[in-house]
Amino acid sequence: MTNPNNVSLNISHELSFIGAHALDIPTVSLLNSDGTLHSDATDPNIDQDTALRIYKTMRFIRALDERMQAAQRQGRVSFYMQCLGEEAAVTASAAALKDDDMIMAQYREQAALRYRGFTLEQFMNQMFSNKEDLGKGRQMPIHYGSQELHYMTISSPLGTQIPQATGHAYSQKVPHIDASTGELSSEINNVTMCYFGEGAASEGDFHAGLNMAAVHKAPVIFFARNNGYAISTPADEQFAGDGIASRGVGYGIKTIRVDGADALAVYAATKEARALSVKTGEPILIESIAYRLGAHSTSDDPSGYRSKEEEANNTDCPIARFKRFLLNQGWLDEAQDDAEDETLREEILNALKVAEKIEKPPLEDLISDVYDTPIPSLQRQYDALKEHIKAHPQAYPVTAGRIK
Amino acid sequence: MTNPNNVSLNISHELSFIGAHALDIPTVSLLNSDGTLHSDATDPNIDQDTALRIYKTMRFIRALDERMQAAQRQGRVSFYMQCLGEEAAVTASAAALKDDDMIMAQYREQAALRYRGFTLEQFMNQMFSNKEDLGKGRQMPIHYGSQELHYMTISSPLGTQIPQATGHAYSQKVPHIDASTGELSSEINNVTMCYFGEGAASEGDFHAGLNMAAVHKAPVIFFARNNGYAISTPADEQFAGDGIASRGVGYGIKTIRVDGADALAVYAATKEARALSVKTGEPILIESIAYRLGAHSTSDDPSGYRSKEEEANNTDCPIARFKRFLLNQGWLDEAQDDAEDETLREEILNALKVAEKIEKPPLEDLISDVYDTPIPSLQRQYDALKEHIKAHPQAYPVTAGRIK
Amino acid sequence: MPQMNMLQAINSALDISMSEHPLACIFGEDVGHFGGVFRATSGLQEKFGKHRVFNTPLTEQGILGFANGMAAAGAPAIAEIQFADYIFPAFDQIVNESAKFRYRSGNEFNVGKLTIRTPYGGGIAGGLYHSQSPEAYFAHTPGLKLVVPRNAYQAKGLLRACIKDDNPVIFFEPKRLYRASVGEVPEGDFEIPLGKAEVVSQGSDVTVLAWGAQMEIIEQAAKMAKSEGISVEVIDLRSILPWDVETIAQSVRKTGRLVISHEAPITNGFGAEIAATIQEECFLHLESPITRVCGLDTPYPLALEKEYIPDALKVLSAIKNSVHF
Amino acid sequence: MPQMNMLQAINSALDISMSEHPLACIFGEDVGHFGGVFRATSGLQEKFGKHRVFNTPLTEQGILGFANGMAAAGAPAIAEIQFADYIFPAFDQIVNESAKFRYRSGNEFNVGKLTIRTPYGGGIAGGLYHSQSPEAYFAHTPGLKLVVPRNAYQAKGLLRACIKDDNPVIFFEPKRLYRASVGEVPEGDFEIPLGKAEVVSQGSDVTVLAWGAQMEIIEQAAKMAKSEGISVEVIDLRSILPWDVETIAQSVRKTGRLVISHEAPITNGFGAEIAATIQEECFLHLESPITRVCGLDTPYPLALEKEYIPDALKVLSAIKNSVHF
Ligand SMILES: Cc1ncc(C[n+]2csc(CCOP(=O)(O)OP(=O)(O)O)c2C)c(N)n1
Ligand SMILES: Cc1ncc(C[n+]2csc(CCOP(=O)(O)OP(=O)(O)O)c2C)c(N)n1
Ligand SMILES: [Mg+2]
Ligand SMILES: [Mg+2]
């Protein structure tokens, strides 16, 4: 569009409005519910190792989610969030990335982290905010992060990671730009993957992040998890457009909508998106459609805001569907799988028992990392606190015994 | 869309992306540059009185703009912003409203205010921030506002008026809702008109305002003035979609793009938008395409960022085009018009000379209106200030003589 | 009088306010059918209709923008921000818009009918983003009023006053006390005036001042001090803006000593303003430096929350240091 | 040494920083080809390329979100907010994100490479929205550093230190002095350490403290006071966070008196924190109350700006009142 207003140039002399839903956006689905490919589907030719890695990740997350939900009910952890229903969306999209592509997630994407190799112990240490937690026990359960695994630590304020992902991705592109032409001189090594919910997509940060990515051609994949709810707020009280995908054209971003309970469709779409993005630098928007099968978090009970009928009509389990695919392919032995699942569940319970007994972080960690090194006033506050605790050790049992 | 994810339900088995510019958005134009209607154009059947009121408003604003630009160069006012090139966009859209529809503008819409009857003296008093200014001399020149004329006082932070317009419009709808059905029980009396630039449309507030208006069906007309520039930033460094209009579908908002230098097209589109909105409550997005013929403001010089060629290619004067239409209609006598313009320019100069001599607001106005009534601490600060000024009258010549 | 917890008291104030004005609306994330994540708006959508009590999309800047517009149209706009930690995306709409609306227009327009409700504060294992006490961020903003209740009774009376006040007000609700604070609260309408502190218990040796949930802590410290023979005058500030300089100054002129406590980090918290003003007002009466017992200058932590918070023991030590200076 | 005005000094610091790190980027509204509305980034796009010095869309929250992401990737991100009055849409990204990035992640990630530059302050007939001094809004936020230079030399040395510092820093530029402050500034690289105040001139009767453009005013007041026989110690705070308690306390222990002046409204401005801390640190040395000479508690006005600002005459009166208490 080579005119100052940056708009298309066709002129019309007739007064007519563009319809509120003028775009026709399909949902891409490849796998039937019985685990066979739709007859006319593009076969993504997934390899056996990747497929099994996806499957085992999903199975792990399901087991972890069930265990931790129960643990919260027992009062052993304060809070938990399950991924129920969205395991394929998260896992298969992460599988389509390179393992060193940065992931900037919202909070319900523990499966992507697991896919990268976050250990059972690491999950547990975070949730029990003990001294082994990489985050030093500072955030609520499920706020994971790992520099080593290129998984940005989760931040509770919604939407903030969206423009951050744009800036992060842009920075990865800079070394590939030929300063004289302004063009890419080589394929970009990494994309940045940005997950968010359809609720968070209402934040102003969403608008800024997508618009800037389009204008500056930042290699970022925006992965919108439309699971129908933001806590109690249903999608039709969240937006009036056709999902999140209908927004892509407003930013000039190539967009695709996928069945988020279909691991193959998610995998194929994300792989293609990544390939496009590293070649051109341009961002891609993917909207995944899957129903939040569980509660928002352990703090809520969806029976207060959604009907039994609706829940009964939406029970599509992405793990079961993918399992059928693997069985059809002959890549999985069901009996062995069941046995592994059994063992896994025991391991999880044991890891929980270990992690809940590990002591909390030391007092130093109350003030470290506010700055790269503590500023003088904070150091003084800390020294005074140490004296106070030494004077009243019985009141601060968690740290008193360990103060130097 | 009756599914929990609030998306259209067509399924595809083929992996293909929606193009970054999948919508084809025409620009509606009715008047030829010679002031005749395009042969296949929908005739909006504007009446003579309205047409002349539009024309005289535009002519007034052009004269005012030229005079005040010069006055700033002479150091008589500190700042000014011209409407050059966008007079038709602003005036004709305001003409399509009812005079008591609230207007929430950005800053370059003085023509809308004039159309409502803001007097030359009122313009001048604001720009000279004298004691007759309705705004009590508190804001920079061009930050007009009038409760009587339903024109919300201009606020410098960009984009903030967009969600405000949504809330304002929604509140006007509330009395028309039948509480038992949730449906409209009657046509809504008023819409809210919200003007903003294509630059301001990048703010997060834009996203919030449009999305909320669509979800809550607020009778608001979003009028995006795409004039190609935000200060020095050209539209193609502002967005990568097809103008602002391409965003409508993402919110589920009916949208139209008009030639903003074509008063008839703007009038017709806005009239139609208003009619739709009061009937259904739904918001409408109008994008006006017109080139900012002048500088951003008196603080800038566009030769630093746009080419002579571009400027030479974009000289479409909306006033001249509409004048030709009026002449064709036989509604205007050119000689009389020229004479009126002459007189007008003298009146403007005289009004300027009067306004610049009117004294500044009294000291009380430094602290009134922070709250409905001054809080005690502020009253104490004021009392101390009064004493200080009384002790040093020579240092505060503007107020010292008038302190009680 | 019936017993209510703080949530019930707030709900009752909202109910009365909605009945009072036909255009009044309550909105925010999840406040509709669900009644809010803490259930403060429970039952109100059923009573007043989906058009007057409704969920918004998830955008705090949008909620406040919408609220400003509604208030400017003359309708009571009662906006909820789900957690005070999430009020920052709305900062521009509050600080640059709500606070300056009347002034910049020369009173042609105003948003006096705006009330923002938001749960704040720690002590609930919420970590960085479910624990903040951001009142001081707003206290530097002429045009706003800021109010914090300490119990159910105060919550109802103050919230009613906020909604009726003709200025934009932020009402910070101490979420730790939502269910914990139970007491007698009149069923009907009543108001507690804004801008007035309350001397909760009289004393002669030292004045101790706080607001909101922190009142419980200083009252506990005052009791401990009493058993050590120190007589504490306990004051609830209640309004942060405007704040009641006179009541505090009068008390400090009597006791000669002042301890201020708040949960937020100490640096540039509202305690700073109080200390700065009172050292000036009471310079010749002060027998020891004014002391602040506050959160440390760190983000709000999780595992070491107990160490972080200004608890009764820390307040007690400050009281003793002040008295034995 | 060459003479530079403050804009040239800033431009030079930016130029050096861009040469130093191949991934460093400068971005913001109109900073590209145009060189910024004040021309602080003039010539830099031509020198370093459009991919490293570029205009952003008009979204402050986006600019800061983008900047946080870039800094998290390890690249120096130098973001400009066109006027400090427009920093509030980015408040959440700064206060909830930049400031807490390192802490919340246990130092797995950080945005230490972030520097925000923004012109602030009044005295230019800018009214409500081109005059604000919002430093105090950020001063309540552990994790941030805040810096304000008083002249061209300081601007270059401090900005270089901000960019090299491994924490997110906001650099407030006194726009009234952009062209007015001219002085000798080294062509080459140099740094002025953060967190250190500077005693600009020694005195014995009273300490007067300010920062940024307000330094000019207090220096003028100090001169006027001198002619009335009062010896003023003038201090430039330079860094608001962390701030140099020791230098101020030492001075006040010597003079026994303190006057603080800032342009921002008095209530909960950063003067409050200084007064609160110093009355505690220097309690036994204070001979008169610490006084603040600040903006009134109103939005920033236009026609009556002269009456509003804390000018030299007002500072002088406060000095005299302090000395003759
Ligand atoms: C800025 C902000 N506002 C509000 C919240 C509170 N909150 C936490 S999760 C949530 C709903 C998010 O819904 P969605 O984005 O759809 O993600 P989902 O939970 O469905 O995965 C809300 C409102 C928050 N964390 N941050
Ligand atoms: C929040 C905010 N950021 C920045 C500015 C400074 N500013 C004033 S006008 C302007 C450009 C606006 O461009 P556009 O919206 O296209 O309107 P136009 O001037 O073209 O009519 C900018 C950046 C501002 N006023 N508010
Ligand atoms: Mg959701
Ligand atoms: Mg523009």
Side-chain angles (χ1 to χ4, degrees), chain B residues 10-245:
Chain B
N10 45 331
I11 299 294
S12 151
H13 302 135
E14 192 200 340
L15 203 73
S16 81
F17 289 79
I18 303 162
H21 297 98
L23 277 174
D24 192 40
I25 305 177
T27 301
V28 177
S29 171
L30 303 181
L31 275 184
N32 274 311
S33 58
D34 65 4
T36 59
L37 268 185
H38 287 292
S39 52
D40 54 346
T42 328
D43 186 343
N45 295 318
I46 193 166
D47 64 83
Q48 180 173 353
D49 285 356
T50 305
L52 285 174
R53 188 171 160 197
I54 291 173
Y55 175 71
K56 290 188 176 175
T57 298
M58 296 198 292
R59 198 187 52 191
F60 174 91
I61 289 299
R62 180 63 63 90
L64 182 69
D65 282 0
E66 289 177 4
R67 180 67 257 161
M68 297 316 296
Q69 179 85 5
Q72 195 277 338
R73 292 284 173 258
Q74 301 168 322
R76 295 166 86 170
V77 284
S78 60
F79 177 82
Y80 194 72
M81 285 182 120
Q82 300 185 305
C83 184
L84 292 193
E86 297 180 79
E87 293 92 343
V90 174
T91 315
S93 55
L97 304 176
K98 267 174 62 184
D99 279 355
D100 63 350
D101 289 339
M102 178 64 77
I103 292 178
M104 299 177 84
Q106 179 157 308
Y107 49 53
R108 210 182 286 287
E109 298 85 357
Q110 52 265 44
L113 182 56
R114 175 62 184 179
Y115 188 85
R116 294 268 174 99
F118 207 61
T119 67
L120 175 54
E121 290 66 36
Q122 287 177 313
F123 278 107
M124 288 297 172
N125 293 334
Q126 197 287 326
M127 285 185 280
F128 286 98
S129 48
N130 63 33
K131 72 180 166 115
E132 305 295 336
D133 169 24
L134 290 177
K136 300 184 187 162
R138 292 175 182 146
Q139 293 208 77
M140 284 173 65
I142 70 112
H143 288 65
Y144 314 110
S146 162
Q147 190 189 18
E148 190 193 341
L149 299 179
H150 303 274
Y151 190 93
M152 183 66 69
T153 303
I154 300 301
S155 161
S156 319
L158 290 169
T160 52
Q161 82 278 20
I162 307 175
Q164 289 172 11
T166 300
H168 187 275
Y170 183 83
S171 187
Q172 291 173 328
K173 189 181 79 163
V174 169
H176 299 274
I177 300 174
D178 178 327
S180 56
T181 63
E183 300 296 314
L184 282 177
S185 54
S186 56
E187 205 170 83
I188 302 165
N189 299 339
N190 289 104
V191 297
T192 302
M193 178 62 149
C194 181
Y195 291 101
F196 51 89
E198 90 293 339
S202 294
E203 291 284 2
D205 274 356
F206 166 91
H207 182 56
L210 272 79
N211 189 40
M212 292 179 84
V215 169
H216 296 298
K217 288 204 168 192
V220 49
I221 300 178
F222 296 110
F223 194 98
R225 292 186 293 96
N226 178 348
N227 63 5
Y229 285 88
I231 307 185
S232 78
T233 304
D236 66 351
E237 296 180 21
Q238 192 68 246
F239 53 78
D242 180 359
I244 306 300

Side-chain angles (χ1 to χ4, degrees), chain A residues 81 86 106-108 156-158 196-201 203 225 227 229-231 292 296, chain C residues 29-30 58 60 82-83 86 89 130:
Chain A
M81 286 183 120
E86 297 180 78
Q106 178 157 308
Y107 49 52
R108 210 182 287 287
S156 318
L158 290 169
F196 52 88
E198 90 294 338
E203 290 283 2
R225 295 187 291 94
N227 64 7
Y229 284 89
I231 308 186
R292 196 192 75 199
H296 169 69
Chain C
E29 294 157 16
D30 303 295
L58 211 169
E60 292 76 14
Q82 199 163 77
F83 286 87
Y86 304 134
H130 294 84

Side-chain angles (χ1 to χ4, degrees), chain B residues 122-377:
Chain B
Q122 287 177 313
F123 278 107
M124 288 297 172
N125 293 334
Q126 197 287 326
M127 285 185 280
F128 286 98
S129 48
N130 63 33
K131 72 180 166 115
E132 305 295 336
D133 169 24
L134 290 177
K136 300 184 187 162
R138 292 175 182 146
Q139 293 208 77
M140 284 173 65
I142 70 112
H143 288 65
Y144 314 110
S146 162
Q147 190 189 18
E148 190 193 341
L149 299 179
H150 303 274
Y151 190 93
M152 183 66 69
T153 303
I154 300 301
S155 161
S156 319
L158 290 169
T160 52
Q161 82 278 20
I162 307 175
Q164 289 172 11
T166 300
H168 187 275
Y170 183 83
S171 187
Q172 291 173 328
K173 189 181 79 163
V174 169
H176 299 274
I177 300 174
D178 178 327
S180 56
T181 63
E183 300 296 314
L184 282 177
S185 54
S186 56
E187 205 170 83
I188 302 165
N189 299 339
N190 289 104
V191 297
T192 302
M193 178 62 149
C194 181
Y195 291 101
F196 51 89
E198 90 293 339
S202 294
E203 291 284 2
D205 274 356
F206 166 91
H207 182 56
L210 272 79
N211 189 40
M212 292 179 84
V215 169
H216 296 298
K217 288 204 168 192
V220 49
I221 300 178
F222 296 110
F223 194 98
R225 292 186 293 96
N226 178 348
N227 63 5
Y229 285 88
I231 307 185
S232 78
T233 304
D236 66 351
E237 296 180 21
Q238 192 68 246
F239 53 78
D242 180 359
I244 306 300
S246 61
R247 297 181 194 166
V249 69
Y251 298 109
I253 293 181
K254 289 202 185 91
T255 300
I256 194 163
R257 173 179 287 155
V258 292
D259 177 351
D262 177 345
L264 268 199
V266 171
Y267 177 76
T270 311
K271 220 175 157 65
E272 184 76 17
R274 190 185 187 285
L276 267 165
S277 196
V278 291
K279 227 172 275 151
T280 62
E282 66 190 305
I284 309 285
L285 172 61
I286 301 177
E287 181 180 24
S288 141
I289 306 299
Y291 187 73
R292 196 192 75 201
L293 293 177
H296 170 69
S297 75
T298 50
S299 312
D300 111 312
D301 170 8
S303 73
Y305 54 79
R306 63 189 194 188
S307 66
K308 291 250 166 305
E309 291 78 355
E310 182 186 298
E311 291 190 354
N313 286 333
N314 290 279
T315 54
D316 196 2
C317 175
I319 307 182
R321 198 186 324 174
F322 197 59
K323 182 175 172 182
R324 276 172 230 126
F325 167 74
L326 295 179
L327 292 170
N328 294 345
Q329 296 288 108
W331 292 348
L332 197 71
D333 175 312
E334 199 157 19
Q336 191 191 328
D337 183 48
D338 288 348
E340 277 176 28
D341 193 42
E342 197 73 4
T343 319
L344 174 61
R345 283 165 193 265
E346 267 165 52
E347 281 168 12
I348 291 174
L349 185 54
N350 291 335
L352 187 157
K353 286 179 187 160
V354 171
E356 68 186 347
K357 294 206 187 76
I358 297 177
E359 65 187 355
K360 298 292 176 220
L363 191 64
E364 299 90 277
D365 283 346
L366 188 55
I367 66 141
S368 61
D369 304 332
V370 180
Y371 295 92
D372 57 344
T373 51
I375 62 173
S377 54

Side-chain angles (χ1 to χ4, degrees), chain A residues 41-55:
Chain A
T42 330
D43 186 343
N45 295 318
I46 193 167
D47 65 81
Q48 179 172 353
D49 284 356
T50 305
L52 284 173
R53 190 172 158 196
I54 291 173
Y55 175 71

Side-chain angles (χ1 to χ4, degrees), chain C residues 37-115:
Chain C
V37 294
F38 292 103
R39 306 304 174 83
T41 56
S42 182
L44 298 176
Q45 182 175 83
E46 289 63 32
K47 184 156 175 188
F48 298 100
K50 216 173 157 168
H51 62 306
R52 292 186 56 206
V53 180
F54 49 90
N55 292 336
T56 60
L58 211 169
T59 166
E60 292 76 14
Q61 67 191 111
I63 293 170
L64 259 295
F66 188 98
N68 278 329
M70 177 176 281
I78 306 170
E80 176 178 306
I81 296 296
Q82 199 163 77
F83 286 87
D85 311 70
Y86 304 134
I87 203 167
F88 300 123
F91 205 75
D92 188 55
Q93 281 287 352
I94 299 172
V95 162
N96 260 346
E97 293 290 317
S98 313
K100 300 177 172 64
F101 221 93
R102 192 192 296 269
Y103 193 78
R104 73 181 178 209
S105 73
N107 205 23
E108 289 287 295
F109 299 97
N110 74 80
V111 294
K113 292 215 176 323
L114 169 65
T115 306

